[in-house]
């Protein structure tokens, strides 16, 4: 699956959005990727994970697939299912913490070859926390796979990085945002006001 065809798929299911968005960081952008518009659709998620496995090639020759909560769990499960491997999950150590741990009785033997997967990379915080959690087990991380690298390639790790799409989405401080200056209404993605609940 080429980047263009994947982006067209995201657009067709409404996951790649255009408008005026207030991001979690407080910055504003004219483009936004809503991962759950994809991950709510099992067939589309299966297809995307299949394309990632194909792109990984020999880097998918590992013992375990690990993803961080929340979207990374769905991807780790699906990629593990496709290549016949177990999956493990990196969860926050407690509510509000950025640190993660491999919990729920999961055991990872030292030297286990691991593929780390996640949905959207922006700053890399959840991937870094997952790598830190795996370091506690002396795991051997062979590759990192993503649906979308929203950093435009500006975030790097020690392991090879693969993604179905790389986007360099321009963001602005609120007081410098051209959309604000043009009085375009702003939307906060993922907020309860936009959740569709009544």
């Amino acid at each position: 699956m080429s980047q263009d065809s994947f982006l067209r798929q995201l657009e067709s299911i409404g996951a790649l959005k255009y408008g005026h968005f207030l991001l979690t960081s407080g910055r504003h952008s004219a483009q936004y990727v809503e991962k759950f518009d994809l991950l709510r659709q099992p067939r589309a998620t299966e297809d995307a994970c299949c394309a990632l496995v194909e792109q990984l090639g020999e880097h998918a020759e590992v013992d375990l697939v690990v993803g961080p909560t929340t979207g990374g769990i769905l991807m780790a499960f699906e990629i593990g299912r496709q290549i016949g491997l177990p999956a493990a999950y990196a969860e926050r150590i407690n509510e509000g913490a950025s640190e993660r741990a491999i919990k729920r009785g999961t055991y990872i033997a030292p030297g286990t070859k691991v593929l780390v997967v996640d949905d959207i990379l922006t700053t890399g915080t959840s991937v870094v926390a997952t790598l830190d959690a795996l370091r506690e087990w002396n795991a051997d991380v062979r590759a990192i796979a993503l649906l979308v690298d929203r950093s435009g390639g500006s975030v790097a790790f020690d392991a090879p990085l693969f993604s179905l799409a790389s986007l360099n989405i321009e963001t602005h401080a609120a007081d410098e945002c051209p959309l604000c200056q043009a009085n375009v209404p702003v939307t906060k993605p993922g907020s309860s006001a936009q959740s569709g609940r009544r």
Side-chain angles (χ1 to χ4, degrees):
M1 182 185 297
S2 70
Q3 171 165 303
D4 285 346
S5 63
F6 180 59
L7 291 176
R8 282 195 301 271
Q9 181 187 40
L10 291 182
E11 285 183 327
S12 71
I13 63 176
L16 180 55
K17 302 178 185 299
Y18 301 92
H20 182 192
F21 303 102
L22 172 60
L23 307 178
T24 304
S25 65
R27 294 179 68 82
H28 292 211
S29 75
Q31 200 175 13
Y32 185 78
V33 181
E34 177 48 80
K35 60 193 175 188
F36 286 109
D37 283 344
L38 172 68
L39 296 174
R40 274 193 291 269
Q41 301 191 42
R43 186 68 68 198
T45 301
E46 178 185 18
D47 292 346
C49 289
C50 182
L52 260 181
V53 170
E54 289 176 3
Q55 187 182 126
L56 283 161
E58 65 182 16
H59 289 92
E61 295 173 7
V62 294
D63 306 310
L64 178 68
V65 185
V66 177
T69 51
T70 300
I73 284 182
L74 301 174
M75 290 187 58
F77 177 87
E78 177 56 26
I79 288 178
R81 185 192 69 80
Q82 290 189 20
I83 57 182
L85 293 175
Y89 313 116
E91 303 175 61
R92 295 184 190 279
I93 57 172
N94 54 52
E95 191 67 32
S98 59
E99 297 87 357
R100 294 176 184 268
I102 309 298
K103 300 181 181 181
R104 303 181 192 275
T106 301
Y107 173 77
I108 301 175
T112 297
K113 297 191 292 280
V114 173
L115 168 64
V116 171
V117 300
D118 202 6
D119 42 41
I120 311 292
L121 176 77
T122 303
T123 61
T125 304
S126 62
V127 171
V128 168
T130 300
L131 296 174
D132 288 344
L134 288 166
R135 205 167 286 117
E136 295 292 317
W137 295 90
N138 293 312
D140 178 11
V141 175
R142 293 299 182 92
I144 299 162
L146 313 163
L147 292 175
V148 178
D149 178 357
R150 201 165 59 186
S151 79
S154 65
V155 178
F157 304 98
D158 290 337
L161 182 67
F162 298 83
S163 66
L164 291 183
S166 179
L167 299 174
N168 190 2
I169 298 176
E170 189 176 6
T171 66
H172 305 275
D175 59 353
E176 299 173 352
C177 176
L179 296 166
C180 286
Q181 292 166 10
N183 294 316
V184 176
V186 65
T187 299
K188 187 171 194 272
S191 68
S192 58
Q194 302 298 324
S195 68
R197 296 182 66 186
R198 303 201 188 284

